């Protein structure tokens, strides 16, 4: 695979560039080096338009015991509280004209979740499932200085198209994350299948209250594991996740964990007692992997590795990584100094979109122009494409996390 070559070039460019917060950065030159099959998409069937009524969902209060189990997995104890940085973070779009597809993060902590949602959102804009034309992200001019007065007619048309498509693309991305095996997020193991139902947690208040008032404010809706029903339900409730000042990110994390199953998630982790959000409020690798590949494994290398003591042939500790290519990739700056190892499955994803972990913050790097149409992003036998990557960071200020 050529993944190491292209990933090294992307990280060198990012490390030497001045990042534009809440905006885009176009790297200086095209990045070459992927083989002809670099961006071949997973074989996802076209998804029909939603026809199910939102009334197919049933809602029940989330019990204190269920909430306690969720918080124990998320933050280490059943009595842990959401920090304000998480409690008031929604899946909210920026108002920047150069990046209308971008989610905006107000405080550090939730960037791992937001970057994964952002990457899948961009994927569904550039490579829709239902035969729609790709959204013209590549026609937007990068940089924070863009205004209505200095944009061309083509840029204005692209802006209108992105704004019109972004909610639908966000819904598609959330469906992808909640039903991973239907669109190729699953990495080849049977353990990343979903059950017979989808769980969506909503809040009866504008944002999550403190722990004492949480059980009375949360309702868990159960839907059949069918994409049309899920898409229809999310379409009718999207404001619950996108409302500025709301708790859309936390509600989505609740929904993801309950849909996957808490025991199933623990069984995929190297250490089942580790929280998914650490004491600083940062996302663990298990939480990011659960979003990106549909499994809460603890590592980013390829395959599995066994650790044994000297002369010990029993009681080996198995460290689990990826068992197949991911739909979107992941790169880490710390790998360049030997502190991390990212496998080819993450470096060489199905789509030319990567999460980049830079010190303590995730950004998203992607090729804003689809490299091909149809089921294969690069047709077999074609020349390796030249990519002009764009980096997007969703923090509103120069804060990390």
């Amino acid at each position: 695979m050529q993944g190491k070559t292209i990933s090294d070039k992307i990280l060198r460019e990012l490390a030497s560039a001045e990042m534009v917060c809440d905006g885009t950065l176009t790297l200086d030159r095209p990045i070459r080096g992927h083989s002809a099959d670099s961006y071949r998409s997973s074989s996802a069937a076209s998804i029909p338009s939603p026809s199910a009524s939102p009334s197919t969902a049933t809602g029940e209060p989330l019990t204190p015991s269920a909430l306690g189990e969720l918080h124990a997995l998320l933050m280490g104890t059943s009595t842990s509280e959401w920090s304000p940085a998480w409690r008031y973070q929604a899946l909210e779009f920026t108002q920047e004209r150069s990046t209308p597809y971008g989610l905006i993060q107000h405080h550090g902590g939730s960037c791992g979740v937001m970057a994964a949602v952002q990457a899948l959102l961009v994927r569904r804009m550039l490579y829709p499932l239902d035969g729609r034309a790709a959204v013209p992200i590549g026609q937007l001019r990068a940089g924070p200085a863009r205004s209505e007065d200095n944009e061309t007619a083509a840029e204005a048309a692209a802006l209108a198209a992105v704004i019109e498509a972004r909610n639908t693309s966000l819904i598609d991305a959330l469906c992808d994350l909640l039903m991973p095996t239907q669109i190729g997020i699953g990495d080849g193991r049977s353990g990343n299948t979903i059950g017979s139902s989808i769980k969506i947690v909503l809040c009866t208040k504008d944002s999550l209250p403190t722990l004492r008032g949480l059980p009375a404010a949360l309702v868990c809706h159960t839907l059949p594991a069918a994409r049309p029903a899920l898409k229809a339900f999310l379409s009718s409730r999207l404001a619950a996740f996108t409302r500025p000042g709301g708790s859309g990110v936390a509600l989505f994390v609740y929904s993801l964990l309950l849909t996957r199953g808490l025991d199933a998630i623990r069984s995929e982790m190297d250490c089942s007692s580790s929280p998914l959000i650490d004491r600083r409020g940062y996302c663990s690798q298990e939480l990011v992997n659960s979003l990106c590949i549909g499994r809460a494994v603890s590592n980013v290398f390829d395959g599995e590795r066994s650790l044994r003591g000297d002369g010990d042939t029993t009681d080996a500790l198995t460290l689990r990584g990826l068992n197949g290519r991911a739909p979107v990739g992941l790169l880490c700056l710390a790998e360049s100094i030997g502190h991390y190892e990212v496998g080819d499955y993450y470096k060489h994803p199905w789509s030319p979109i990567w999460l980049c972990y830079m010190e303590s913050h995730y950004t998203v790097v992607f090729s804003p122009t689809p490299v091909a149409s149809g089921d294969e992003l690069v047709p077999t036998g074609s020349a390796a494409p030249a990519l002009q990557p764009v980096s997007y960071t969703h923090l509103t200020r120069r804060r990390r996390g």
Side-chain angles (χ1 to χ4, degrees):
M1 290 185 181
Q2 300 289 331
K4 182 174 176 56
T5 301
I6 193 169
S7 64
D8 287 349
K9 290 181 179 181
I10 290 175
L11 286 173
R12 282 200 302 271
E13 295 283 0
L14 286 173
S16 63
E18 178 70 11
M19 297 297 294
V20 179
C21 290
D22 193 26
T24 57
L25 169 71
T26 303
L27 304 184
D28 291 339
R29 55 188 177 276
I31 290 181
R32 301 176 184 272
H34 262 179
S35 59
D37 67 340
S38 292
Y39 306 124
R40 188 178 299 122
S41 68
S42 48
S43 55
S46 295
I47 303 299
S49 299
S51 57
S53 167
S55 63
T56 56
T58 59
E60 298 289 341
L62 198 62
T63 65
S65 61
L67 185 62
E69 291 181 17
L70 274 169
H71 280 227
L73 176 58
L74 279 168
M75 293 169 276
T77 69
S78 61
T79 57
S80 297
E81 294 271 11
W82 287 107
S83 68
W86 281 82
R87 182 177 290 129
Y88 302 114
Q89 181 61 61
L91 295 171
E92 173 189 355
F93 285 107
T94 178
Q95 299 302 308
E96 291 288 340
R97 298 179 71 83
S98 60
T99 56
Y101 53 82
L103 300 173
I104 186 170
Q105 181 184 356
H106 298 287
H107 300 281
S110 60
C111 63
V113 174
M114 296 194 67
V117 175
Q118 182 73 70
L120 269 294
L121 187 160
V122 167
R123 188 186 191 219
R124 285 301 160 231
M125 282 190 160
L126 296 175
Y127 310 105
L129 283 174
D130 56 4
R132 299 191 309 269
V135 180
I137 294 177
Q139 296 180 25
L140 298 171
R141 188 195 319 167
R146 178 181 169 187
S147 69
E148 187 175 0
D149 295 332
N150 63 16
E151 66 189 7
T152 66
E155 290 169 344
L159 174 65
V162 172
I163 291 175
E164 181 180 2
R166 63 188 184 182
N167 281 347
T168 298
S169 299
L170 175 58
I171 291 167
D172 282 336
L174 297 182
C175 290
D176 290 348
L177 291 162
L178 290 167
M179 304 187 69
T181 55
Q182 290 203 359
I183 48 79
I185 288 184
D187 66 356
R189 279 181 76 103
S190 59
N192 56 14
T193 58
I194 60 173
S196 59
S197 63
I198 304 290
K199 308 290 187 181
I200 303 294
V201 178
L202 300 179
C203 185
T204 60
K205 300 182 181 298
D206 288 342
S207 59
L208 294 178
T210 57
L211 190 62
R212 178 177 296 181
L214 264 181
L218 296 178
V219 178
C220 182
H221 297 266
T222 302
L223 292 83
R227 190 178 180 102
L230 176 59
K231 191 169 182 177
F233 185 83
L234 290 176
S235 297
S236 68
R237 307 296 203 283
L238 188 60
F241 298 98
T242 61
R243 182 187 302 114
S247 306
V249 171
L251 291 174
F252 179 71
V253 170
Y254 280 152
S255 303
L256 179 80
L257 300 188
L258 289 175
T259 296
R260 300 278 176 85
L262 307 192
D263 290 339
I265 289 173
R266 288 192 182 94
S267 72
E268 295 164 348
M269 300 164 62
D270 288 349
C271 179
S272 61
S273 62
S274 296
L276 298 180
I277 300 172
D278 68 18
R279 283 180 289 182
R280 300 170 299 170
Y282 291 175
C283 300
S284 70
Q285 190 62 59
E286 289 88 347
L287 181 54
V288 174
N289 284 344
S290 185
L291 291 156
C292 291
I293 65 170
R295 294 174 57 233
V297 293
S298 302
N299 305 286
V300 294
F301 50 68
D302 295 343
E304 296 182 350
R305 299 180 182 180
S306 295
L307 297 181
R308 293 182 175 89
D310 293 339
D312 186 7
T313 58
T314 62
D315 298 329
L317 174 63
T318 299
L319 306 179
R320 284 168 286 190
L322 280 69
N323 279 16
R325 288 171 68 184
V328 296
L330 185 145
L331 305 173
C332 181
L333 183 62
E335 186 176 26
S336 64
I337 55 176
H339 290 176
Y340 223 65
E341 179 184 342
V342 180
D344 280 335
Y345 289 144
Y346 254 147
K347 291 178 180 175
H348 197 82
W350 291 114
S351 305
I353 304 166
W354 292 264
L355 280 70
C356 289
Y357 187 61
M358 311 291 288
E359 298 178 353
S360 61
H361 181 59
Y362 283 95
T363 62
V364 177
V365 172
F366 61 95
S367 172
T369 303
V371 291
S373 60
D375 290 336
E376 292 187 353
L377 305 188
V378 175
T380 303
S382 67
L387 301 182
Q388 186 72 48
V390 163
S391 171
Y392 179 77
T393 181
H394 33 268
L395 269 176
T396 54
R397 299 181 178 86
R398 295 184 183 276
R399 287 186 289 235
R400 300 295 187 185

